Every structure is written in structure tokens, then in C-alpha cells.
Amino acid sequence: MSSERPIGVFDSGVGGLSVLRAIRAQMPHEAVIYFADQGHVPYGPRPLEEVRVFAEAITRFLLDQGAKLIVVACNTASAAALHHLRQTFPEVPFVGMEPAVKPAAETTHTGVVGVLATPATFQGALYASVVERFAHGVRLLPHTCPGLVGQIERGELDSPQTRAILEDALLPMLAQGIDTIVLGCTHYPFVIPLIEQIAGPSVRVIDPAPAVARRTGYLLETSGKRAAGAGGGSLRFYTSGETAALARLLPPLLGETGEVRQVRWTAEGRLELVEP
Ligand code: DGL
């Protein structure tokens, strides 16, 4: 069995493009539709209940567009809604994000690990469960990097302000002996070069995107939903923010581009396509 329907991927904004990049590298023949909720970004400071409502409506929208599997390419939305989504849509395969504390705990030599994620992710039960299961004997230093998601949404991957935010997070961690940094927000892989400049070569930075893409491929395979076609899978983007702003960031962040369509939140909390 196979399916030519698209994979649905969503995030509060451009962060999920770090996951999409890995999906494209591993499965270039799969069609993908990507939703950026840029009308609501950032999710990180919002209550988990509010993000859960957004995530459910976005999932409905992506399913209406024909998605065969949903990748919640956002740690915050995964923390807020993954469990709820699996219960609400039991027939749909979901792939979510959780901070990569397990591989960090397995490989750290100093036993001190920095974790960068949003406030909502740190508050969620998913993070507490990951810590309880995998962080034995390891000291985790969490930091929320206030303002960093906004900088990345503006395409400021290397500006003095972006550097200042990262230095605020990382310099105290480095002073406490971290040798590993977990990126628990899908926006953050876009500033890995800057993180590596600040942290130096002896610190390992863990980007979970390749593992999430492998999990996506595995679920497609085992559910008989892989695309059969050998050609390049199509890409389509939707945003609840400004189409031009998303289109401008696709080449630098994703390395490719595609049609970007406008979607609007209705007063009832549903998503509808805006006809061009
Ligand atoms: N990219 C997101 C995450 O992985 C959300 C960041 C935000 O909107 O605050 O958590």
C-alpha cells in the first residue's frame, strides 16, 4: 500500500522548517503541507490550554487539506496537545517533539546539560516525564531564551541582539560545566552556528530533527502510507500571518521554496483559506 497524500507539518511559525528540512533530506519524494501559525507566534509564553485549542484547529485544517500523517513540529504544541490530539484523532498517525534529554544523558561526560526551550515546554507534563525517565545522575540547566523565537521569525540569525540573548543563556551554563546543549524548541536549530561560536567545539549541540524525520518515515512505512512516486514531492505552505514574510524566509531557512497561501482564524476559532 502507498499514499500520495501529503504529510502535514505545523509550528507556531518558521521553527518547524528545521524539521521539514530533515524530512525533505530523508524523503524528498513525499509531498508536504506546512502550516505556520504566525498570527499567534510565539506560543511559548501562552497557557498550555490555549495552545491546545490552536493545535486541534490546525490539525483539523491539515486533515481537511488531505494530510495522511501530522508532524507536530513544535515542542510547545507537543507539550500542550500531543496527548489530546492522539485521543481526538485516533485514526491519524502523529509524530511529536520532546526535548532530547535521553541522548544527552547517555553521552554527557561532565554530567551537566543545558536545555533551551520555551516556558510552556518546561511547564508541560511531557518535559517532567522525560526528566524523570532519562535524567538520572545528570544535572539539567534549563533556560527559556526570552525573545529568541521573535529574532528567528524576523530572520535575525546572527544579529548582535540574537547573540546577546544566547550569551545570556549559555555563558552561565558554560561556567557550570555543560558539555551538551539540548535544543528543545524547533526554532533554535537555525542559530546552531551562533551557539557553536559561543559554546566552542567541545560542547555538543543536539538537534532532534533528523530523528523526528526518521520516526516519520518509520510510521509511514508501517502504516502503508509512504508515497510510491520517485519524483520530487510538492511543497505547499499556509500561514495565519503575512504570506510575504514567510515566503521571504523559506530560501534562507529551508533552502527551497513553494506556494504560500493565506489562512485566517475565524471568530469561532476555525481556520479558513483566504482566496487570492
Ligand atoms: N517552535 C516552537 C517550539 O518548538 C514554538 C516557539 C514559540 O512559538 O514560542 O517550541
Side-chain angles (χ1 to χ4, degrees), residues 11-12 15-16 18-19 43-44 72-80 96-101 104 113-124 126-127 130 141-145 148-149 152 166 170 173 180-192 195 204-209 212:
D11 179 47
S12 59
S18 66
V19 177
Y43 277 0
V72 185
C74 174
N75 288 78
T76 307
S78 297
M97 312 289 306
E98 64 178 26
V101 168
V113 171
V115 185
L116 309 184
T118 68
T121 295
F122 285 127
Q123 278 156 29
L126 197 58
Y127 183 67
V130 162
L141 305 180
H143 199 287
T144 59
C145 301
L148 187 54
V149 166
I152 295 166
L166 282 169
L170 298 177
M173 293 182 178
T180 310
I181 297 170
V182 172
L183 301 183
C185 170
T186 54
H187 279 76
Y188 299 169
F190 293 118
V191 289
I192 286 178
I195 292 174
R204 177 174 175 231
V205 182
I206 302 184
D207 172 6
V212 171

CSV table of all heavy atoms in Angstrom, one decimal, residues 11-12 15-16 18-19 43-44 72-80 96-101 104 113-124 126-127 130 141-145 148-149 152 166 170 173 180-192 195 204-209 212:
chain,number,residue,atom,x,y,z
A,11,ASP,N,3.8,24.3,13.1
A,11,ASP,CA,4.5,25.0,14.1
A,11,ASP,C,3.8,26.4,14.3
A,11,ASP,O,3.0,26.8,13.5
A,11,ASP,CB,6.0,25.2,13.7
A,11,ASP,CG,6.8,25.9,14.8
A,11,ASP,OD1,6.7,25.6,16.0
A,11,ASP,OD2,7.5,26.9,14.4
A,12,SER,N,4.3,27.1,15.4
A,12,SER,CA,3.8,28.4,15.6
A,12,SER,C,4.3,29.4,14.5
A,12,SER,O,3.7,30.4,14.3
A,12,SER,CB,4.3,29.0,17.0
A,12,SER,OG,5.7,28.9,17.0
A,15,GLY,N,9.8,27.7,12.9
A,15,GLY,CA,10.6,26.8,13.6
A,15,GLY,C,10.5,25.4,13.0
A,15,GLY,O,11.5,24.7,12.9
A,16,GLY,N,9.3,25.0,12.7
A,16,GLY,CA,9.1,23.6,12.1
A,16,GLY,C,9.8,23.4,10.8
A,16,GLY,O,9.9,22.3,10.4
A,18,SER,N,12.8,23.6,10.5
A,18,SER,CA,14.1,22.8,10.8
A,18,SER,C,13.7,21.3,10.7
A,18,SER,O,14.6,20.5,10.4
A,18,SER,CB,14.6,23.2,12.2
A,18,SER,OG,13.7,22.9,13.2
A,19,VAL,N,12.5,21.0,11.1
A,19,VAL,CA,12.1,19.6,11.0
A,19,VAL,C,11.7,19.2,9.5
A,19,VAL,O,12.1,18.2,9.0
A,19,VAL,CB,10.8,19.3,11.9
A,19,VAL,CG1,10.3,17.9,11.7
A,19,VAL,CG2,11.1,19.6,13.3
A,43,TYR,N,4.2,30.9,20.7
A,43,TYR,CA,3.4,30.1,21.6
A,43,TYR,C,4.0,30.0,23.0
A,43,TYR,O,3.2,29.7,24.0
A,43,TYR,CB,3.3,28.6,21.0
A,43,TYR,CG,2.3,28.4,19.9
A,43,TYR,CD1,1.5,29.3,19.4
A,43,TYR,CD2,2.2,27.1,19.4
A,43,TYR,CE1,0.6,29.0,18.4
A,43,TYR,CE2,1.4,26.8,18.4
A,43,TYR,CZ,0.5,27.8,17.9
A,43,TYR,OH,-0.4,27.5,16.9
A,44,GLY,N,5.3,30.1,23.1
A,44,GLY,CA,6.0,29.7,24.4
A,44,GLY,C,5.4,30.4,25.6
A,44,GLY,O,5.3,29.8,26.7
A,72,VAL,N,3.8,17.3,14.5
A,72,VAL,CA,3.7,18.5,15.4
A,72,VAL,C,5.1,19.0,15.6
A,72,VAL,O,5.8,18.6,16.5
A,72,VAL,CB,3.0,18.1,16.8
A,72,VAL,CG1,2.8,19.4,17.6
A,72,VAL,CG2,1.7,17.4,16.5
A,73,ALA,N,5.6,19.8,14.7
A,73,ALA,CA,7.0,20.2,14.6
A,73,ALA,C,7.2,21.4,15.5
A,73,ALA,O,7.9,22.4,15.1
A,73,ALA,CB,7.4,20.5,13.2
A,74,CYS,N,6.8,21.3,16.7
A,74,CYS,CA,6.8,22.4,17.7
A,74,CYS,C,6.8,21.7,19.1
A,74,CYS,O,5.9,21.0,19.4
A,74,CYS,CB,5.6,23.2,17.5
A,74,CYS,SG,5.3,24.5,18.8
A,75,ASN,N,7.9,22.0,19.9
A,75,ASN,CA,7.9,21.4,21.2
A,75,ASN,C,6.8,21.9,22.1
A,75,ASN,O,6.2,21.2,22.9
A,75,ASN,CB,9.3,21.7,21.9
A,75,ASN,CG,10.4,20.9,21.3
A,75,ASN,OD1,10.9,21.3,20.2
A,75,ASN,ND2,10.8,19.8,21.9
A,76,THR,N,6.5,23.2,21.9
A,76,THR,CA,5.4,23.8,22.8
A,76,THR,C,4.1,23.1,22.5
A,76,THR,O,3.3,22.8,23.4
A,76,THR,CB,5.4,25.3,22.6
A,76,THR,OG1,6.7,25.8,22.7
A,76,THR,CG2,4.4,26.0,23.5
A,77,ALA,N,3.7,23.0,21.2
A,77,ALA,CA,2.4,22.4,20.9
A,77,ALA,C,2.4,20.9,21.2
A,77,ALA,O,1.4,20.4,21.6
A,77,ALA,CB,2.2,22.6,19.4
A,78,SER,N,3.6,20.3,21.1
A,78,SER,CA,3.6,18.8,21.6
A,78,SER,C,3.4,18.7,23.1
A,78,SER,O,2.6,17.9,23.5
A,78,SER,CB,5.0,18.2,21.2
A,78,SER,OG,5.2,18.2,19.8
A,79,ALA,N,4.0,19.6,23.8
A,79,ALA,CA,3.8,19.6,25.3
A,79,ALA,C,2.4,19.9,25.6
A,79,ALA,O,1.8,19.3,26.5
A,79,ALA,CB,4.7,20.7,25.9
A,80,ALA,N,1.7,20.8,24.9
A,80,ALA,CA,0.4,21.2,25.2
A,80,ALA,C,-0.7,20.3,24.7
A,80,ALA,O,-1.7,20.1,25.3
A,80,ALA,CB,0.1,22.6,24.6
A,96,GLY,N,5.5,13.7,17.3
A,96,GLY,CA,5.6,15.0,18.1
A,96,GLY,C,7.1,15.2,18.5
A,96,GLY,O,8.0,14.4,18.1
A,97,MET,N,7.3,16.3,19.2
A,97,MET,CA,8.7,16.6,19.7
A,97,MET,C,8.8,16.5,21.2
A,97,MET,O,7.8,16.8,21.9
A,97,MET,CB,9.0,18.1,19.4
A,97,MET,CG,8.7,18.6,18.0
A,97,MET,SD,9.8,17.9,16.7
A,97,MET,CE,11.4,18.3,17.3
A,98,GLU,N,9.9,16.0,21.7
A,98,GLU,CA,10.2,16.1,23.1
A,98,GLU,C,11.6,16.4,23.2
A,98,GLU,O,12.5,16.0,22.4
A,98,GLU,CB,9.8,14.8,23.9
A,98,GLU,CG,10.6,13.6,23.5
A,98,GLU,CD,10.2,12.3,24.3
A,98,GLU,OE1,9.1,12.2,24.8
A,98,GLU,OE2,11.1,11.5,24.5
A,99,PRO,N,12.0,17.2,24.3
A,99,PRO,CA,13.4,17.6,24.4
A,99,PRO,C,14.3,16.4,24.5
A,99,PRO,O,14.0,15.4,25.2
A,99,PRO,CB,13.4,18.4,25.7
A,99,PRO,CG,12.0,19.0,25.8
A,99,PRO,CD,11.1,17.9,25.3
A,100,ALA,N,15.4,16.4,23.7
A,100,ALA,CA,16.3,15.2,23.6
A,100,ALA,C,17.1,15.0,24.8
A,100,ALA,O,18.4,14.9,24.7
A,100,ALA,CB,17.1,15.3,22.3
A,101,VAL,N,16.5,14.9,26.0
A,101,VAL,CA,17.2,14.6,27.2
A,101,VAL,C,17.9,13.2,27.2
A,101,VAL,O,19.0,13.1,27.7
A,101,VAL,CB,16.3,14.8,28.4
A,101,VAL,CG1,16.9,14.4,29.7
A,101,VAL,CG2,15.9,16.3,28.5
A,104,ALA,N,21.2,13.1,25.4
A,104,ALA,CA,22.1,14.0,26.1
A,104,ALA,C,22.6,13.3,27.3
A,104,ALA,O,23.8,13.3,27.6
A,104,ALA,CB,21.4,15.3,26.4
A,113,VAL,N,24.1,19.4,31.6
A,113,VAL,CA,23.5,19.5,30.3
A,113,VAL,C,22.6,20.8,30.2
A,113,VAL,O,21.7,20.9,31.1
A,113,VAL,CB,22.6,18.3,29.9
A,113,VAL,CG1,21.8,18.5,28.7
A,113,VAL,CG2,23.5,17.0,29.8
A,114,GLY,N,22.7,21.6,29.3
A,114,GLY,CA,21.9,22.8,29.1
A,114,GLY,C,20.7,22.4,28.3
A,114,GLY,O,20.8,21.7,27.3
A,115,VAL,N,19.5,22.9,28.6
A,115,VAL,CA,18.3,22.6,27.9
A,115,VAL,C,17.7,24.0,27.5
A,115,VAL,O,17.3,24.8,28.4
A,115,VAL,CB,17.3,21.8,28.6
A,115,VAL,CG1,16.1,21.5,27.7
A,115,VAL,CG2,17.9,20.5,29.2
A,116,LEU,N,17.5,24.3,26.2
A,116,LEU,CA,16.9,25.5,25.8
A,116,LEU,C,15.5,25.2,25.2
A,116,LEU,O,15.4,24.4,24.3
A,116,LEU,CB,17.7,26.2,24.6
A,116,LEU,CG,19.2,26.4,24.9
A,116,LEU,CD1,19.9,27.1,23.7
A,116,LEU,CD2,19.5,27.1,26.2
A,117,ALA,N,14.5,25.8,25.8
A,117,ALA,CA,13.1,25.5,25.4
A,117,ALA,C,12.2,26.7,25.9
A,117,ALA,O,12.7,27.6,26.6
A,117,ALA,CB,12.6,24.2,25.9
A,118,THR,N,11.0,26.7,25.5
A,118,THR,CA,10.1,27.8,25.8
A,118,THR,C,9.5,27.5,27.3
A,118,THR,O,9.5,26.4,27.8
A,118,THR,CB,8.9,27.9,24.8
A,118,THR,OG1,8.1,26.7,25.0
A,118,THR,CG2,9.4,28.0,23.4
A,119,PRO,N,8.9,28.6,27.9
A,119,PRO,CA,8.4,28.4,29.2
A,119,PRO,C,7.3,27.3,29.2
A,119,PRO,O,7.2,26.5,30.1
A,119,PRO,CB,7.8,29.8,29.5
A,119,PRO,CG,8.5,30.8,28.7
A,119,PRO,CD,8.9,30.0,27.4
A,120,ALA,N,6.4,27.3,28.2
A,120,ALA,CA,5.3,26.3,28.2
A,120,ALA,C,5.9,24.9,28.1
A,120,ALA,O,5.3,24.0,28.7
A,120,ALA,CB,4.4,26.6,27.0
A,121,THR,N,6.9,24.7,27.3
A,121,THR,CA,7.5,23.4,27.2
A,121,THR,C,8.0,22.9,28.6
A,121,THR,O,7.8,21.8,29.0
A,121,THR,CB,8.6,23.4,26.2
A,121,THR,OG1,8.1,23.6,24.9
A,121,THR,CG2,9.4,22.0,26.2
A,122,PHE,N,8.7,23.8,29.3
A,122,PHE,CA,9.2,23.4,30.7
A,122,PHE,C,8.0,23.1,31.6
A,122,PHE,O,8.2,22.3,32.5
A,122,PHE,CB,10.1,24.5,31.2
A,122,PHE,CG,11.5,24.5,30.6
A,122,PHE,CD1,12.0,25.7,30.0
A,122,PHE,CD2,12.2,23.4,30.5
A,122,PHE,CE1,13.2,25.7,29.4
A,122,PHE,CE2,13.5,23.4,29.9
A,122,PHE,CZ,14.0,24.6,29.3
A,123,GLN,N,6.9,23.8,31.4
A,123,GLN,CA,5.7,23.6,32.3
A,123,GLN,C,5.0,22.3,32.1
A,123,GLN,O,4.3,21.8,32.9
A,123,GLN,CB,4.7,24.7,32.2
A,123,GLN,CG,5.1,26.0,33.0
A,123,GLN,CD,4.4,27.2,32.3
A,123,GLN,OE1,3.3,27.1,31.7
A,123,GLN,NE2,5.1,28.3,32.4
A,124,GLY,N,5.1,21.8,30.9
A,124,GLY,CA,4.3,20.6,30.5
A,124,GLY,C,4.7,19.3,31.1
A,124,GLY,O,5.8,19.1,31.5
A,126,LEU,N,5.1,16.5,29.6
A,126,LEU,CA,6.0,15.8,28.7
A,126,LEU,C,7.4,16.0,29.2
A,126,LEU,O,8.2,15.1,29.3
A,126,LEU,CB,5.8,16.3,27.3
A,126,LEU,CG,6.4,15.5,26.1
A,126,LEU,CD1,5.8,14.1,26.2
A,126,LEU,CD2,6.0,16.1,24.8
A,127,TYR,N,7.8,17.3,29.5
A,127,TYR,CA,9.2,17.6,29.9
A,127,TYR,C,9.4,16.9,31.3
A,127,TYR,O,10.5,16.2,31.5
A,127,TYR,CB,9.4,19.1,30.0
A,127,TYR,CG,10.8,19.4,30.4
A,127,TYR,CD1,11.9,19.1,29.6
A,127,TYR,CD2,11.1,20.0,31.7
A,127,TYR,CE1,13.2,19.4,29.9
A,127,TYR,CE2,12.4,20.2,32.0
A,127,TYR,CZ,13.5,19.9,31.2
A,127,TYR,OH,14.8,20.2,31.5
A,130,VAL,N,10.1,13.2,30.7
A,130,VAL,CA,11.4,13.0,30.1
A,130,VAL,C,12.5,13.1,31.1
A,130,VAL,O,13.4,12.3,31.2
A,130,VAL,CB,11.6,14.0,28.9
A,130,VAL,CG1,13.1,14.1,28.5
A,130,VAL,CG2,10.8,13.6,27.7
A,141,LEU,N,20.3,22.1,33.2
A,141,LEU,CA,20.2,23.6,33.4
A,141,LEU,C,19.2,24.1,32.3
A,141,LEU,O,19.6,24.2,31.2
A,141,LEU,CB,21.6,24.2,33.2
A,141,LEU,CG,22.7,23.7,34.1
A,141,LEU,CD1,24.0,24.4,33.9
A,141,LEU,CD2,22.3,23.8,35.6
A,142,PRO,N,18.0,24.4,32.7
A,142,PRO,CA,17.0,24.9,31.8
A,142,PRO,C,17.1,26.4,31.5
A,142,PRO,O,17.5,27.1,32.4
A,142,PRO,CB,15.7,24.6,32.4
A,142,PRO,CG,16.0,24.5,33.9
A,142,PRO,CD,17.4,24.2,34.1
A,143,HIS,N,16.8,26.8,30.3
A,143,HIS,CA,16.7,28.3,30.0
A,143,HIS,C,15.7,28.5,28.9
A,143,HIS,O,15.7,27.8,28.0
A,143,HIS,CB,18.1,28.8,29.6
A,143,HIS,CG,18.2,30.3,29.8
A,143,HIS,ND1,17.6,31.2,28.9
A,143,HIS,CD2,18.9,31.1,30.7
A,143,HIS,CE1,17.8,32.4,29.3
A,143,HIS,NE2,18.6,32.4,30.4
A,144,THR,N,14.9,29.6,29.1
A,144,THR,CA,13.9,29.9,28.1
A,144,THR,C,14.2,30.9,27.0
A,144,THR,O,13.4,31.1,26.1
A,144,THR,CB,12.6,30.5,28.8
A,144,THR,OG1,13.0,31.7,29.5
A,144,THR,CG2,12.1,29.5,29.8
A,145,CYS,N,15.4,31.4,27.0
A,145,CYS,CA,15.9,32.3,25.9
A,145,CYS,C,14.8,33.3,25.5
A,145,CYS,O,14.4,33.4,24.3
A,145,CYS,CB,16.3,31.5,24.7
A,145,CYS,SG,17.6,30.3,25.0
A,148,LEU,N,14.1,35.0,21.7
A,148,LEU,CA,14.9,34.3,20.6
A,148,LEU,C,14.0,33.9,19.5
A,148,LEU,O,14.3,34.0,18.3
A,148,LEU,CB,15.7,33.1,21.2
A,148,LEU,CG,16.6,32.4,20.3
A,148,LEU,CD1,17.6,33.4,19.6
A,148,LEU,CD2,17.4,31.3,21.0
A,149,VAL,N,12.8,33.4,19.8
A,149,VAL,CA,11.8,32.9,18.8
A,149,VAL,C,11.5,34.1,17.9
A,149,VAL,O,11.5,34.0,16.6
A,149,VAL,CB,10.6,32.3,19.4
A,149,VAL,CG1,9.5,32.2,18.3
A,149,VAL,CG2,10.9,31.0,20.0
A,152,ILE,N,14.3,34.9,15.4
A,152,ILE,CA,14.4,33.9,14.3
A,152,ILE,C,13.2,34.2,13.3
A,152,ILE,O,13.4,34.1,12.1
A,152,ILE,CB,14.4,32.5,14.9
A,152,ILE,CG1,15.7,32.3,15.7
A,152,ILE,CG2,14.3,31.5,13.8
A,152,ILE,CD1,15.8,31.1,16.5
A,166,LEU,N,21.6,34.7,23.4
A,166,LEU,CA,22.2,33.4,23.5
A,166,LEU,C,23.3,33.4,24.6
A,166,LEU,O,23.5,32.5,25.3
A,166,LEU,CB,22.7,32.9,22.2
A,166,LEU,CG,21.6,32.3,21.3
A,166,LEU,CD1,22.1,32.1,19.8
A,166,LEU,CD2,21.1,31.0,21.8
A,170,LEU,N,23.8,31.0,27.6
A,170,LEU,CA,24.9,30.0,27.6
A,170,LEU,C,26.0,30.3,28.5
A,170,LEU,O,26.6,29.3,29.0
A,170,LEU,CB,25.3,29.8,26.1
A,170,LEU,CG,24.3,29.4,25.1
A,170,LEU,CD1,24.9,29.3,23.7
A,170,LEU,CD2,23.8,28.0,25.5
A,173,MET,N,25.8,28.7,31.8
A,173,MET,CA,25.8,27.3,31.7
A,173,MET,C,27.2,26.8,31.5
A,173,MET,O,27.6,25.7,32.0
A,173,MET,CB,24.9,26.8,30.5
A,173,MET,CG,23.4,27.1,30.6
A,173,MET,SD,22.6,26.4,29.2
A,173,MET,CE,20.9,26.8,29.6
A,180,THR,N,27.0,19.6,26.8
A,180,THR,CA,25.9,19.2,25.8
A,180,THR,C,24.8,20.2,25.9
A,180,THR,O,24.4,20.7,27.1
A,180,THR,CB,25.3,17.8,26.2
A,180,THR,OG1,26.4,16.9,26.3
A,180,THR,CG2,24.4,17.3,25.1
A,181,ILE,N,24.2,20.6,24.8
A,181,ILE,CA,23.1,21.5,24.8
A,181,ILE,C,21.9,20.8,24.0
A,181,ILE,O,22.1,20.4,22.9
A,181,ILE,CB,23.4,22.8,24.1
A,181,ILE,CG1,24.5,23.6,24.9
A,181,ILE,CG2,22.2,23.7,24.0
A,181,ILE,CD1,25.1,24.8,24.2
A,182,VAL,N,20.8,20.7,24.7
A,182,VAL,CA,19.6,20.2,24.0
A,182,VAL,C,18.8,21.3,23.5
A,182,VAL,O,18.4,22.2,24.2
A,182,VAL,CB,18.8,19.4,25.1
A,182,VAL,CG1,17.4,18.9,24.5
A,182,VAL,CG2,19.6,18.1,25.6
A,183,LEU,N,18.4,21.2,22.2
A,183,LEU,CA,17.6,22.3,21.6
A,183,LEU,C,16.1,21.8,21.7
A,183,LEU,O,15.7,20.9,20.9
A,183,LEU,CB,18.0,22.5,20.1
A,183,LEU,CG,19.4,23.0,19.9
A,183,LEU,CD1,19.7,23.3,18.5
A,183,LEU,CD2,19.7,24.2,20.8
A,184,GLY,N,15.4,22.3,22.7
A,184,GLY,CA,14.0,21.9,22.9
A,184,GLY,C,13.0,22.8,22.3
A,184,GLY,O,11.9,22.9,22.8
A,185,CYS,N,13.4,23.5,21.3
A,185,CYS,CA,12.4,24.4,20.5
A,185,CYS,C,12.9,24.3,19.1
A,185,CYS,O,14.1,24.4,18.8
A,185,CYS,CB,12.5,25.8,21.0
A,185,CYS,SG,11.7,27.0,20.0
A,186,THR,N,11.9,24.0,18.2
A,186,THR,CA,12.3,23.8,16.8
A,186,THR,C,12.8,25.1,16.1
A,186,THR,O,13.4,24.9,15.0
A,186,THR,CB,11.1,23.2,16.0
A,186,THR,OG1,10.0,24.1,16.2
A,186,THR,CG2,10.8,21.8,16.5
A,187,HIS,N,12.6,26.2,16.7
A,187,HIS,CA,13.2,27.4,16.1
A,187,HIS,C,14.8,27.4,16.3
A,187,HIS,O,15.5,28.0,15.4
A,187,HIS,CB,12.7,28.7,16.7
A,187,HIS,CG,11.4,29.1,16.2
A,187,HIS,ND1,10.2,28.5,16.6
A,187,HIS,CD2,11.0,30.2,15.4
A,187,HIS,CE1,9.2,29.1,16.0
A,187,HIS,NE2,9.6,30.2,15.3
A,188,TYR,N,15.2,26.8,17.3
A,188,TYR,CA,16.6,27.1,17.7
A,188,TYR,C,17.7,26.4,16.8
A,188,TYR,O,18.8,27.0,16.8
A,188,TYR,CB,16.8,26.6,19.2
A,188,TYR,CG,16.0,27.4,20.2
A,188,TYR,CD1,15.9,27.0,21.5
A,188,TYR,CD2,15.3,28.6,19.8
A,188,TYR,CE1,15.1,27.7,22.4
A,188,TYR,CE2,14.5,29.2,20.8
A,188,TYR,CZ,14.4,28.8,22.1
A,188,TYR,OH,13.6,29.5,23.0
A,189,PRO,N,17.4,25.3,16.1
A,189,PRO,CA,18.5,24.8,15.2
A,189,PRO,C,19.0,25.9,14.2
A,189,PRO,O,20.1,25.8,13.7
A,189,PRO,CB,17.8,23.6,14.5
A,189,PRO,CG,16.8,23.2,15.5
A,189,PRO,CD,16.3,24.4,16.2
A,190,PHE,N,18.2,26.9,13.9
A,190,PHE,CA,18.6,27.9,12.9
A,190,PHE,C,19.7,28.8,13.5
A,190,PHE,O,20.3,29.5,12.8
A,190,PHE,CB,17.4,28.7,12.5
A,190,PHE,CG,16.5,27.9,11.6
A,190,PHE,CD1,15.2,27.7,12.0
A,190,PHE,CD2,16.9,27.3,10.5
A,190,PHE,CE1,14.3,27.0,11.3
A,190,PHE,CE2,16.0,26.5,9.7
A,190,PHE,CZ,14.7,26.3,10.1
A,191,VAL,N,19.9,28.7,14.8
A,191,VAL,CA,21.1,29.5,15.4
A,191,VAL,C,22.2,28.6,15.9
A,191,VAL,O,23.0,29.1,16.7
A,191,VAL,CB,20.6,30.5,16.4
A,191,VAL,CG1,19.8,31.7,15.8
A,191,VAL,CG2,19.8,29.9,17.5
A,192,ILE,N,22.2,27.4,15.4
A,192,ILE,CA,23.3,26.5,15.8
A,192,ILE,C,24.7,27.1,15.5
A,192,ILE,O,25.6,27.0,16.4
A,192,ILE,CB,23.2,25.1,15.2
A,192,ILE,CG1,22.0,24.3,15.9
A,192,ILE,CG2,24.5,24.3,15.3
A,192,ILE,CD1,21.7,22.9,15.3
A,195,ILE,N,25.4,29.4,18.3
A,195,ILE,CA,25.5,28.7,19.6
A,195,ILE,C,26.9,28.0,19.6
A,195,ILE,O,27.6,28.1,20.6
A,195,ILE,CB,24.4,27.6,19.7
A,195,ILE,CG1,23.1,28.2,19.9
A,195,ILE,CG2,24.8,26.6,20.8
A,195,ILE,CD1,21.9,27.2,19.9
A,204,ARG,N,28.6,19.7,22.6
A,204,ARG,CA,27.8,19.0,21.6
A,204,ARG,C,26.4,19.7,21.6
A,204,ARG,O,25.8,19.8,22.7
A,204,ARG,CB,27.7,17.5,21.9
A,204,ARG,CG,26.9,16.8,21.0
A,204,ARG,CD,27.0,15.3,21.3
A,204,ARG,NE,26.0,14.5,20.5
A,204,ARG,CZ,25.2,13.6,21.0
A,204,ARG,NH1,25.1,13.3,22.2
A,204,ARG,NH2,24.3,13.0,20.1
A,205,VAL,N,25.9,20.0,20.4
A,205,VAL,CA,24.5,20.6,20.3
A,205,VAL,C,23.6,19.5,19.7
A,205,VAL,O,23.9,19.0,18.6
A,205,VAL,CB,24.6,21.9,19.5
A,205,VAL,CG1,23.2,22.5,19.4
A,205,VAL,CG2,25.6,22.9,20.0
A,206,ILE,N,22.5,19.2,20.3
A,206,ILE,CA,21.6,18.2,19.8
A,206,ILE,C,20.4,18.8,19.1
A,206,ILE,O,19.6,19.4,19.8
A,206,ILE,CB,21.2,17.2,20.9
A,206,ILE,CG1,22.4,16.6,21.6
A,206,ILE,CG2,20.3,16.1,20.3
A,206,ILE,CD1,22.1,15.5,22.7
A,207,ASP,N,20.3,18.6,17.8
A,207,ASP,CA,19.2,19.0,17.0
A,207,ASP,C,18.3,17.7,16.8
A,207,ASP,O,18.8,16.7,16.1
A,207,ASP,CB,19.7,19.6,15.7
A,207,ASP,CG,18.5,19.8,14.7
A,207,ASP,OD1,17.3,19.6,15.1
A,207,ASP,OD2,18.8,20.2,13.6
A,208,PRO,N,17.1,17.6,17.3
A,208,PRO,CA,16.4,16.4,17.2
A,208,PRO,C,15.7,16.1,15.8
A,208,PRO,O,15.2,15.1,15.6
A,208,PRO,CB,15.3,16.6,18.2
A,208,PRO,CG,15.1,18.1,18.3
A,208,PRO,CD,16.4,18.7,18.0
A,209,ALA,N,15.9,17.1,14.9
A,209,ALA,CA,15.1,17.0,13.6
A,209,ALA,C,15.4,15.7,12.8
A,209,ALA,O,14.4,15.1,12.4
A,209,ALA,CB,15.4,18.2,12.8
A,212,VAL,N,13.4,12.9,14.3
A,212,VAL,CA,12.0,13.1,14.1
A,212,VAL,C,11.6,12.7,12.7
A,212,VAL,O,10.6,12.0,12.4
A,212,VAL,CB,11.5,14.5,14.4
A,212,VAL,CG1,10.1,14.8,14.0
A,212,VAL,CG2,11.7,14.8,15.9
